[in-house]
């Protein structure tokens, strides 16, 4: 069993991506880790006001220091002038020597063409401009970044990474063909279609197939080199076989799906042979349904602010989110996706290292063989709101102990209305019976009066 607060297990994401509102350079595009901004220089603490005598002394000291600095500057300027004159003399001497040397063939044919030295040629060869060129020669070009703690793609400058490892893994897995600045304009067109759909599924599916192929290639290489690690139970099955075992929502294909799928085939057919034939319209829709049902919201570290989604950055994808913290992205997991829902969960998904690596933590003592359950929605909501979200997003009618014992506001109002109507009906019945009794009593009294009158007459 597990005690409350204990981590049951941890799991790496199969695929993940940032929410559009979080793609502002604050989070890693690969592992979703928060990248802290460069620390601003601390301001000097102001001392208490000094006395007038002390201030005068300080002014004298400052003036003395300024006079010394001026003298030093004058000395340095004179030294620089002397050095410049010496350099000019040396340059003239070198030019006179070079004038006597024969020119190259190109210079002799056209004096307007400057000579190219071997040193310049070597320097050009040693300065690759693209990531691929740098990787081929084992160098890392100087990548611009939005902060001193971040790295970015040298082509698009849009993908920001927290480390060199994340940048390399992303490039090997998917960014090499998803980079908007690649020579093929299809990448930019695909990104635009995904953005217009307000869905993360197209990007997740493209990343998934790229990472899938990259992982299988690395596994084969490791086996060929004899450096493959121990095979676990999960390794006996491919990632796709694990994916097929997941539950999914049955969705209806849209016109937008067809356009995205067609562009996805153009984008990745050269990198993933057979993709167009494999990912049919039905299979693409099924993948979207599996992501909608099984993906988790990846939460940012407590205290880290995530930009609020706007109309242009909103997404319609469903993700399991108990709203215990602000969501920064979404991710799919092979094991955690099989955990069922409960409005009164015994476990919770947390992200302790502020990346997309998930940790399932016990919320209460869990006995051996007890089923793990997490909440797909905010468990603090009232029953009616929880049931509405679960029914709309997951087609679930929750019958957990909390839902069975909790009476929602609507049910309570209906019960009160029924009770009020019953009481009103009973009151009307009683009033009707009282009216009938009064009439009978009136008839009896009239008969008695007539009999009394007859007796008096006799």
């Amino acid at each position: 069993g597990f005690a409350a607060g204990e981590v049951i297990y941890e799991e790496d994401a199969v695929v993940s991506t940032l929410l559009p509102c979080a793609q502002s350079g604050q989070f890693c595009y690969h592992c979703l880790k928060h990248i802290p901004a460069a620390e601003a220089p601390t301001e000097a603490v102001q001392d208490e006001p000094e006395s007038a005598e002390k201030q005068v002394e300080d002014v004298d000291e400052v003036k003395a220091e300024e006079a010394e600095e001026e003298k030093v500057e004058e000395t340095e300027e004179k030294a620089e002038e002397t050095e410049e004159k010496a350099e000019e003399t040396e340059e003239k001497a070198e030019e006179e020597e070079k004038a006597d040397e024969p020119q190259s063939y190109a210079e002799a044919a056209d004096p307007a063409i400057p000579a190219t030295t071997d040193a310049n040629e070597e320097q050009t060869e040693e300065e690759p401009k693209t990531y691929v060129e740098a990787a081929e020669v084992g160098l890392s070009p100087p990548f611009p970044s939005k902060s001193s703690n971040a790295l970015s793609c040298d082509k698009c400058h849009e993908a920001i990474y927290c480390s060199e490892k994340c940048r390399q893994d992303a490039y090997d897995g998917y960014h090499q063909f998803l980079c908007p600045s690649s020579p093929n304009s299809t990448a930019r067109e695909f990104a635009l279609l995904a953005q217009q759909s307000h869905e993360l599924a197209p990007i997740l599916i493209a990343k998934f197939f790229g990472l899938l192929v990259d992982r299988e290639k690395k596994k084969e290489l490791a086996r060929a080199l004899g450096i493959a690690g121990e095979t676990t139970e999960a390794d006996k099955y491919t990632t796709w076989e694990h994916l097929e075992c997941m539950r999914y929502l049955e969705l209806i294909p849209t016109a937008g799906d067809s356009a995205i799928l067609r562009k996805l085939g153009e984008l990745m057919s050269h990198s993933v042979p057979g993709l167009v034939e494999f990912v049919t319209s039905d299979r693409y829709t099924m993948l979207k349904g599996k992501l909608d049902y099984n993906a988790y919201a990846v939460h940012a570290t407590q205290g880290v602010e995530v930009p609020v989604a706007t109309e242009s950055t909103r997404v319609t994808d469903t993700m399991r989110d108990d709203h215990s913290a602000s969501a920064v992205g979404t991710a799919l997991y092979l094991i955690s996706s099989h955990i069922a829902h409960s409005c009164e969960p015994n476990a919770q998904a947390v992200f302790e290292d502020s990346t997309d690596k998930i940790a399932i933590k016990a919320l209460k003592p869990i006995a051996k063989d007890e089923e793990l359950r997490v909440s797909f929605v905010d468990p603090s909501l009232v029953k009616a709101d929880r049931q509405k979200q679960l029914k709309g997003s997951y087609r679930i009618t929750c019958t957990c102990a909390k839902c069975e014992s909790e009476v929602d506001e609507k049910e309570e109002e209906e019960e009160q209305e029924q009770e009020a109507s019953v009481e009103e009906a009973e009151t009307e019945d009683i009033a009707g019976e009282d009216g009938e009794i009064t009439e009978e009593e009136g008839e009896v009294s009239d008969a008695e009066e007539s009999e009394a009158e007859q007796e008096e007459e006799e």
Side-chain angles (χ1 to χ4, degrees), residues 413-454:
E413 289 177 1
E414 289 175 359
E415 288 179 1
Q416 290 176 354
E417 289 176 0
Q418 288 178 357
E419 290 176 359
S421 62
V422 170
E423 290 177 359
E424 187 178 350
E426 290 177 351
T427 303
E428 291 176 355
D429 292 342
I430 294 172
E433 290 174 0
D434 290 343
E436 291 174 1
I437 292 171
T438 303
E439 290 175 0
E440 289 175 359
E441 288 177 351
E443 291 175 359
V444 170
S445 62
D446 291 343
E448 289 177 350
E449 286 178 0
S450 62
E451 288 177 0
E453 289 177 354
Q454 287 178 2

Side-chain angles (χ1 to χ4, degrees), residues 282-300:
D282 291 341
R283 191 163 279 163
Y284 179 81
T285 307
M286 180 195 69
L287 284 172
K288 283 184 61 179
K290 287 183 180 290
L291 288 169
D292 274 351
Y293 191 89
N294 299 287
Y296 281 79
V298 178
H299 292 156

